[in-house]
Amino acid sequence: MPSNRKETIGTPPKPNVISEEPHGKIIALSLLLAFLWGGNSPAIKVGLQDFPPMALAFFRFVIGLVVVGGWSLFRRVSLGLRRGEFLRLLLLTAIFILQIICLNTGTELTTASRSTIFINVYPFFTALFAHFWIPGERLSITKTLGIIVAFSGVFVTVAPNLGEGQTSILGDILVLISGCFLGLRVVVTKLLVQAIHPYRLLVWYLSLSLPCYAAMSFLLERGEPMQLTLSSAVALLYQGGVIAGYCFLAWTSILERYSASKLVVLFFATPLSGVLFSYLVLGDELTLSLLVGALLVAGGIYLVNMRQ
């Protein structure tokens, strides 16, 4: 989703945060992204069968950087840093790295279905951070109720399996922490894209994160087996090309103009598609509670996006 904003050289002005009401096409695109993102945890789980967590992150974001950088060059977006941008991008990169460390490590310790559920608590954190930091995105009673209803749908979906796999509690907690960092990253991205072109922002925080993943893999994962099989290659292409490439580009561009707290609730559909992907790819159980969860998620989405 290309941006039409013209760039000027020099110190960027103080951002005037844009939070337009999302229309039908943007909501549909966001729902598509939410569905695709549901396949991320299953893809990570498949990739972890052949790569340790930090090595997997490194190769994933190399692919993502190729996609994002290539598209940016095709769109003739200037990728050179402007005055004052580096420190802000460094902050975003640190949040991003912490989120991925917790996500990959936690997913290795738990199931794909549970990882999908726990990472997707992030709309709670997004709405909370946006309430304090983004003008015009304060929590209302209706929006809060919508978030609670939607998340209850997520809980109903996963509740039958919560008593299983007690040894995965550390993995669950790590993925939950990753969800907190992801919610923070959405809000910080929303603030930064008002002054930094979305594609330049993506290229730089992906580029800055790669040396960290490489160093951590070298220091902590030396000697661990790595192999490229057909399944891990497909998983890497999905994580890197579809998620870190297409989904990152589209979502970052959407955040430039539209309300983060209203759109992010659409991503409560992600754990539902994630459970479906886990069933199709990994054989995780698909239960009737998914239908009830889907209805509650749909009701929450309606409440959050209902015009006052």
Side-chain angles (χ1 to χ4, degrees):
M1 181 175 176
S3 171
N4 295 321
R5 187 182 65 231
K6 294 182 179 179
E7 298 209 330
T8 57
I9 298 176
T11 304
K14 185 177 181 180
N16 180 22
V17 180
I18 302 170
S19 293
E20 295 182 19
E21 291 287 327
H23 53 75
K25 289 183 179 180
I26 293 299
I27 291 174
L29 176 57
S30 297
L31 278 172
L32 172 63
L33 298 179
F35 177 81
L36 292 174
W37 242 300
N40 194 42
S41 287
I44 290 173
K45 194 69 177 178
V46 172
L48 287 169
Q49 295 173 2
D50 294 319
F51 292 92
M54 294 302 99
L56 184 69
F58 175 79
F59 291 119
R60 170 191 176 183
F61 292 118
V62 166
I63 297 171
L65 181 59
V66 170
V67 174
V68 172
W71 182 249
S72 301
L73 293 174
F74 175 76
R75 298 296 304 177
R76 297 182 179 179
V77 173
S78 172
L79 299 179
L81 286 179
R82 308 293 168 80
R83 186 182 303 172
E85 290 182 349
F86 181 73
L87 289 179
R88 286 177 285 172
L89 287 170
L90 206 57
L91 171 63
L92 182 61
T93 302
I95 296 169
F96 176 63
I97 290 171
L98 290 171
Q99 184 234 317
I100 298 300
I101 290 173
C102 293
L103 176 61
N104 280 20
T105 305
T107 302
E108 187 178 37
L109 300 173
T110 189
T111 65
S113 296
R114 292 164 72 100
S115 174
T116 300
I117 298 300
F118 286 108
I119 186 63
N120 284 286
V121 300
Y122 82 90
F124 271 120
F125 296 107
T126 299
L128 180 63
F129 294 136
H131 173 79
F132 292 106
W133 294 343
I134 300 180
E137 297 206 21
R138 297 185 66 81
L139 287 171
S140 64
I141 294 176
T142 304
K143 188 183 291 187
T144 303
L145 178 62
I147 290 173
I148 293 172
V149 170
F151 187 72
S152 69
V154 175
F155 179 79
V156 166
T157 301
V158 74
N161 298 321
L162 282 178
E164 301 177 2
Q166 294 300 318
T167 56
S168 69
I169 187 65
L170 176 60
D172 294 341
I173 292 172
L174 285 172
V175 178
L176 190 64
I177 294 171
S178 178
C180 179
F181 280 122
L182 179 54
L184 178 61
R185 179 160 68 89
V186 170
V187 172
V188 172
T189 298
K190 168 70 177 177
L191 293 170
L192 293 186
V193 293
Q194 310 305 315
I196 304 174
H197 193 284
Y199 299 171
R200 185 163 73 247
L201 179 143
L202 277 172
V203 166
W204 274 96
Y205 84 65
L206 287 175
S207 299
L208 290 170
S209 70
L210 286 177
C212 297
Y213 299 131
M216 284 186 289
S217 180
F218 177 77
L219 293 172
L220 303 175
E221 300 171 344
R222 205 178 339 180
E224 292 192 29
M226 281 189 265
Q227 60 178 343
L228 185 64
T229 63
L230 178 60
S231 59
S232 61
V234 172
L236 271 172
L237 287 174
Y238 188 87
Q239 295 172 64
V242 177
I243 303 300
Y246 171 72
C247 289
F248 275 26
L249 280 169
W251 181 234
T252 305
S253 297
I254 287 171
L255 285 176
E256 184 183 12
R257 292 183 57 185
Y258 297 99
S259 169
S261 60
K262 282 204 168 186
L263 283 172
V264 80
V265 77
L266 298 173
F267 284 78
F268 276 121
T270 297
L272 305 184
S273 67
V275 170
L276 178 61
F277 275 119
S278 299
Y279 167 74
L280 294 174
V281 176
L282 298 168
D284 287 6
E285 186 180 3
L286 185 62
T287 66
L288 291 177
S289 62
L290 181 63
L291 176 61
V292 178
L295 292 174
L296 287 170
V297 168
I301 289 171
Y302 172 77
L303 287 172
V304 170
N305 287 281
M306 184 174 65
R307 295 185 182 276
Q308 300 300 316

